[in-house]
Amino acid sequence: GAVVSQHPSRVICKSGTSVKIECRSLDFQATTMFWYRQFPKQSLMLMATSNEGSKATYEQGVEKDKFLINHASLTLSTLTVTSAHPEDSSFYICSARKQGAGGTEAFFGQGTRLTVV
Amino acid sequence: DAKTTQPPSMDCAEGRAANLPCNHSTISGNEYVYWYRQIHSQGPQYIIHGLKNNETNEMASLIITEDRKSSTLILPHATLRDTAVYYCIVRGMDSSYKLIFGSGTRLLVRP
């Protein structure tokens, strides 16, 4: 398989501050990564598609100025939640697309639980 | 991408086969069926995918009906560690390769 690592796994921040979450593909290069958000007892909601070297593509209803995405290298994408508020508390999950001989697969990080107090 | 319909919950006894159904009646010819699962508070884990032929790997088997309008994920000998939410996703092969998650099936494996 392939390994995708997120950091931090848990973070607590004060309302109004910004938080950065990292997503790394450890053993493969990923030109495309995806960011999801998941509220308790709900499914994953796709927030945006992160493309290496270009601007992210956001899903409808996701504020691009609030959720800043940077994909500066083939192994790292970051999601920054700016001016966080309690309603931004959620489980954030990234995935990275790996192309191989068997096709294209998406591998997921372990998730980051954000709590805004 | 086509929409999928799954039962909200199922249960099975440990050691028995777990058969998880998925309806995808609007699937088009170039769309694949993917299965992922999510154990509590973790990221989703890839299980298996297929186009029209049945597939098997070390984790599970995927049975796709001839008309491709439904499929079944089979865990041949379920263990307590297989308790998770299982997602059936239909994905086209466009350039974005996005995975759109539905509500999934919550599988409870009973001791």
Side-chain angles (χ1 to χ4, degrees), chain A residues 11-79:
Chain A
V11 58
I12 300 173
C13 72
K14 291 185 177 180
S15 187
T17 62
S18 296
V19 174
K20 180 185 286 188
I21 302 169
E22 293 184 347
C23 178
R24 293 182 185 274
S25 55
L26 297 186
D27 53 358
F28 66 100
Q29 293 183 329
T31 55
T32 305
M33 294 185 176
F34 304 90
W35 287 96
Y36 294 82
R37 180 168 55 179
Q38 185 176 33
F39 292 108
K41 299 192 184 300
Q42 294 186 22
S43 186
L44 286 77
M45 186 195 81
L46 180 65
M47 298 174 68
T49 301
S50 169
N51 300 298
E52 188 266 335
S54 65
K55 290 184 178 180
T57 304
Y58 290 82
E59 296 297 305
Q60 192 172 11
V62 178
E63 299 174 61
K64 62 181 180 182
D65 294 330
K66 181 169 184 62
F67 299 100
L68 301 179
I69 292 172
N70 183 277
H71 193 155
S73 79
L74 287 171
T75 59
L76 173 65
S77 175
T78 60
L79 168 68

Side-chain angles (χ1 to χ4, degrees), chain A residues 32 34 36 38 41-44 46 49 59 91 93 97 99 102 104-106 108-111 113, chain B residues 34 36 38 41-46 49 87 91 93 95-104 106:
Chain A
T32 305
F34 304 90
Y36 294 82
Q38 185 176 33
K41 299 192 184 300
Q42 294 186 22
S43 186
L44 286 77
L46 180 65
T49 301
E59 296 297 305
F91 192 50
I93 307 167
R97 180 164 73 97
Q99 284 187 287
T104 298
E105 299 308 330
F108 288 79
Q110 73 272 35
R113 187 161 302 282
Chain B
Y34 279 77
Y36 282 80
Q38 186 180 26
S41 294
Q42 297 182 23
Q45 176 189 23
Y46 166 80
H49 76 282
Y87 296 98
R91 194 191 79 185
M93 301 306 285
S95 60
S96 68
Y97 293 95
K98 306 192 278 194
L99 291 174
I100 305 299
F101 286 77
S103 52
R106 187 172 297 275

